[in-house]
Amino acid sequence: MRNNTVVVIFGPTASGKSKLAIDVCKQLNGEVVSADSMQIYRKMDIGTAKALPEEQQGIPHHLIDIIEPNENYSLENFLKDCESTVDDVLSRGKLPVIAGGTGLYISSFINGVELAEAKIDDDYRKTMETIADTEGNLSIKQLLYGIDKQAYLKLKTNDRKRIIRALEVYRATGKTISQNNEDSQGNSKYNFIIFGLNCENRNVLYERINLRVDEMMKNGLEQEARMLYNSDLSDTARQAIGYKELFGYFNGDKSLEQAVEEIKQYSRNYAKRQITWFKKELNVTWIPIDEKNYEEILKNTVNGIVKNANVCYNKE
């Protein structure tokens, strides 16, 4: 029987998922498949916390550096690319290890979201964004009330991106996001083994984030952002945390110290949103990274994969 096991390692920013994924791959003959909506961009290395070549330790990494910063990339693109990459890794007898922090990417792949649901109607999206710009986010959120009351009650009014996403899904499929996910549950061709990294003590995570930002600045984040400042960037790339704050500094709107503090604050806020998103996923083995040492985390993760995989992996 052909093995169809796919490992998923997710968690908030600075939780150590990239390192864990690499070390799991080293022990179980795997390859990393990135699920990060910012690491897809070339030239955006320091601010997106890409693993350096020496940190990758010879482990192949997929879906990193695949487009230029001025290009657009959608959920539909990711689902197609992720499936083809995972199938290729499996066909070569290797273990795909999906690692990243973009909740929409990961949950959509795990739940088998259909491409029709993921497809973006640019004209419709622009219309919704125009309405929100002129009449406020509440005006588009109210459109959800009659078609997806669950999303209406769940989504915050300032969460414009997900409100529009919910409207798009219903328009494309005639079903709500929840209905689409329910229909797809259990139909995936993959055997997912899912690990979630989390800090029970949020202060530990926030300190890790602060230290990471300081390290990024030492490693040249300001210079990297300045290189991109006058470039033609996609809307998504231009809004990346770590860059947009420095763009404000380059504009003269704030001091460098203020920009760095904003990067830390927005990164902490993003981590909170990531944790909230990931906690919706089912069948997750949660790993409290602030309670165990790294070697114990790695050992437990590897043992959990071997125990639950359809076949055993041995490094060639």
Side-chain angles (χ1 to χ4, degrees):
M1 181 176 64
R2 176 185 172 188
N3 186 43
N4 66 341
T5 294
V6 177
V7 172
V8 178
I9 298 175
F10 59 60
T13 185
S15 59
K17 51 191 175 291
S18 295
K19 175 176 172 55
L20 180 60
I22 290 169
D23 287 339
V24 165
C25 287
K26 286 173 60 180
Q27 294 201 24
L28 298 179
N29 193 25
E31 298 184 7
V32 173
V33 181
S34 173
D36 188 300
S37 63
M38 294 301 166
Q39 292 189 359
I40 59 174
Y41 294 114
R42 303 184 187 105
K43 306 183 186 74
M44 296 174 64
D45 302 328
I46 300 171
T48 63
K50 290 176 189 169
L52 298 172
E54 56 268 29
E55 293 172 330
Q56 294 178 13
Q57 301 181 62
I59 298 299
H61 280 59
H62 304 278
L63 304 189
I64 290 177
D65 292 332
I66 57 176
I67 64 172
E68 296 297 328
N70 65 340
E71 297 180 89
N72 292 311
Y73 193 82
S74 67
L75 173 60
E76 181 182 12
N77 295 137
F78 173 76
L79 292 177
K80 287 181 178 178
D81 290 345
C82 191
E83 181 176 15
S84 62
T85 301
V86 165
D87 287 347
D88 174 64
V89 174
L90 288 170
S91 73
R92 292 183 282 106
K94 302 294 187 71
L95 174 67
V97 179
I98 298 175
T102 302
L104 179 62
Y105 281 10
I106 293 172
S107 63
S108 295
F109 191 72
I110 291 173
N111 293 321
V113 169
E114 298 295 331
L115 291 181
E117 179 182 331
K119 192 171 182 62
I120 292 175
D121 183 333
D122 287 330
D123 290 338
Y124 180 74
R125 171 167 290 187
K126 289 176 182 176
T127 298
M128 292 299 103
E129 289 176 344
T130 299
I131 293 173
D133 286 339
T134 57
E135 302 178 24
N137 291 343
L138 182 59
S139 62
I140 59 171
K141 183 179 180 183
Q142 288 173 333
L143 297 175
L144 278 176
Y145 189 82
I147 59 176
D148 190 349
K149 191 171 182 179
Q150 183 177 353
Y152 174 84
L153 295 172
K154 184 176 183 180
L155 294 173
K156 295 181 179 179
T157 303
N158 63 357
D159 197 349
R160 178 191 297 195
K161 183 176 180 179
R162 292 195 178 95
I163 291 171
I164 293 177
R165 188 76 202 133
L167 291 168
E168 286 177 328
V169 167
Y170 186 81
R171 188 169 187 268
T173 67
K175 297 180 181 179
T176 67
I177 287 179
S178 297
Q179 289 171 330
N180 273 279
N181 287 342
E182 288 169 3
D183 290 346
S184 63
Q185 287 289 342
N187 295 328
S188 176
K189 62 183 179 181
Y190 305 113
N191 169 42
F192 287 108
I193 302 175
I194 308 170
F195 299 92
L197 305 183
N198 192 19
C199 275
E200 298 296 332
N201 184 345
R202 291 286 177 88
N203 290 330
V204 172
L205 178 62
Y206 296 161
E207 183 59 25
R208 290 173 70 141
I209 290 171
N210 293 340
L211 290 173
R212 168 181 274 191
V213 173
D214 289 337
E215 192 68 23
M216 286 177 173
M217 292 300 296
K218 290 179 184 177
N219 291 338
L221 177 58
E222 180 184 348
Q223 291 74 22
E224 182 175 89
R226 194 175 290 278
M227 179 187 67
L228 294 166
Y229 177 54
N230 292 317
S231 301
D232 180 19
L233 303 179
S234 69
D235 290 341
T236 301
R238 188 166 291 280
Q239 291 302 311
I241 296 174
Y243 298 95
K244 63 178 180 179
E245 297 81 12
L246 287 170
F247 292 165
Y249 163 59
F250 301 151
N251 286 336
D253 297 334
K254 65 190 75 171
S255 67
L256 179 59
E257 291 75 17
Q258 288 174 314
V260 171
E261 284 306 309
E262 285 184 359
I263 295 172
K264 292 178 179 179
Q265 181 62 58
Y266 294 153
S267 295
R268 295 193 297 267
N269 293 344
Y270 178 54
K272 287 190 286 187
R273 294 196 301 272
Q274 287 175 301
I275 292 169
T276 300
W277 181 288
F278 292 135
K279 283 190 174 179
K280 298 183 296 184
E281 290 298 331
L282 304 175
N283 303 316
V284 177
T285 299
W286 288 101
I287 302 173
I289 60 174
D290 50 345
E291 293 182 4
K292 299 180 180 179
N293 64 52
Y294 179 74
E295 291 304 319
E296 185 179 1
I297 289 172
L298 175 60
K299 179 181 177 181
N300 291 343
T301 303
V302 170
N303 289 342
I305 294 167
V306 172
K307 178 181 178 181
N308 292 287
N310 290 341
V311 298
C312 291
Y313 286 88
N314 294 295
K315 188 172 182 179
E316 294 178 346

